[in-house]
Amino acid sequence: MSLAKDPVCGMFVDEKNAIYKHELDGITYYFCSENCLKTFVKPETEIKKLKNLVVLCALIAIPTIWLSFFYDVTYENFLLLILTIPVQFIAGWRFYKGTWDALRAKAANIDSLIAVGTTAAWIYSALVTFLPRTFGTETYFDASVIIITLILMGKYLEDIVKGK
């Protein structure tokens, strides 16, 4: 088995079973996910998309944190559920896609960890929202949103630095 290193994220990829590859100047590059391939081929477009996602996440993270820690209303969990859907399923989509790519390659990557962790927190919190007598009252919508926001912000900053 011959392993290549993904030039974007640094993960090792089996060259024989690689789904995503790109040839440039006679050199074949192998990628662990479609996100990495897109970042390599069109970095400006991906940086712009990341910037938009970070802005979306930040705009939602601020009221989410405020509701979670500083405000107490009867329907707080329902507000948090509705508020966090865009972060979990729009901004977080890249992690679900990366997880799917990893599963197809019979591997795991950081996207898998992020998708499983944030989804578990979000689904558990949704269950608490609808079934508080069964699951208690503690929700983790804020954790899910903060993790996705910080990971995307870190990725955005990393891509900017790599671009320079």
Side-chain angles (χ1 to χ4, degrees), residues 9 11 32-33 95 98-99 101-103 107-114:
C9 70
M11 209 173 142
C32 68
S33 68
F95 303 117
T99 300
D101 292 341
L103 289 173
N109 60 17
I110 191 68
D111 291 338
S112 310
L113 177 64
I114 296 165

Side-chain angles (χ1 to χ4, degrees), residues 7 26 51 71 109 113 125-127 142 149:
K51 180 181 178 184
Y71 200 72
N109 60 17
L113 177 64
S125 298
L127 289 170
D142 54 328
T149 302

Side-chain angles (χ1 to χ4, degrees), residues 15-149:
E15 291 178 8
K16 182 180 174 189
N17 297 322
I19 298 167
Y20 300 103
K21 44 188 155 182
H22 180 75
E23 191 168 319
L24 182 66
D25 297 330
I27 301 170
T28 303
Y29 296 92
Y30 298 90
F31 304 92
C32 68
S33 68
E34 186 178 10
N35 288 335
C36 287
L37 172 62
K38 285 180 179 179
T39 300
F40 184 80
V41 175
K42 294 183 179 179
E44 304 84 20
T45 304
E46 287 304 302
I47 287 175
K48 187 176 181 179
K49 283 181 187 177
L50 264 176
K51 180 181 178 184
N52 292 337
L53 288 175
V54 168
V55 169
L56 170 74
C57 289
L59 290 174
I60 292 173
I62 292 167
T64 299
I65 293 166
W66 182 72
L67 278 171
S68 296
F69 295 107
F70 306 114
Y71 200 72
D72 189 27
V73 293
T74 307
Y75 299 105
E76 174 185 324
N77 288 346
F78 286 102
L79 290 171
L80 288 170
L81 173 78
I82 292 166
L83 193 61
T84 58
I85 286 172
V87 173
Q88 188 66 42
F89 299 106
I90 294 173
W93 177 252
R94 71 185 296 114
F95 303 117
Y96 292 117
K97 179 74 174 103
T99 300
W100 177 249
D101 292 341
L103 289 173
R104 286 178 39 201
K106 297 178 183 157
N109 60 17
I110 191 68
D111 291 338
S112 310
L113 177 64
I114 296 165
V116 169
T118 60
T119 302
W122 194 89
I123 288 174
Y124 176 78
S125 298
L127 289 170
V128 166
T129 300
F130 291 108
L131 304 167
R133 290 187 180 167
T134 305
F135 291 97
T137 59
E138 189 72 30
T139 62
Y140 301 99
F141 290 118
D142 54 328
S144 176
V145 168
I146 290 168
I147 289 168
I148 290 172
T149 302

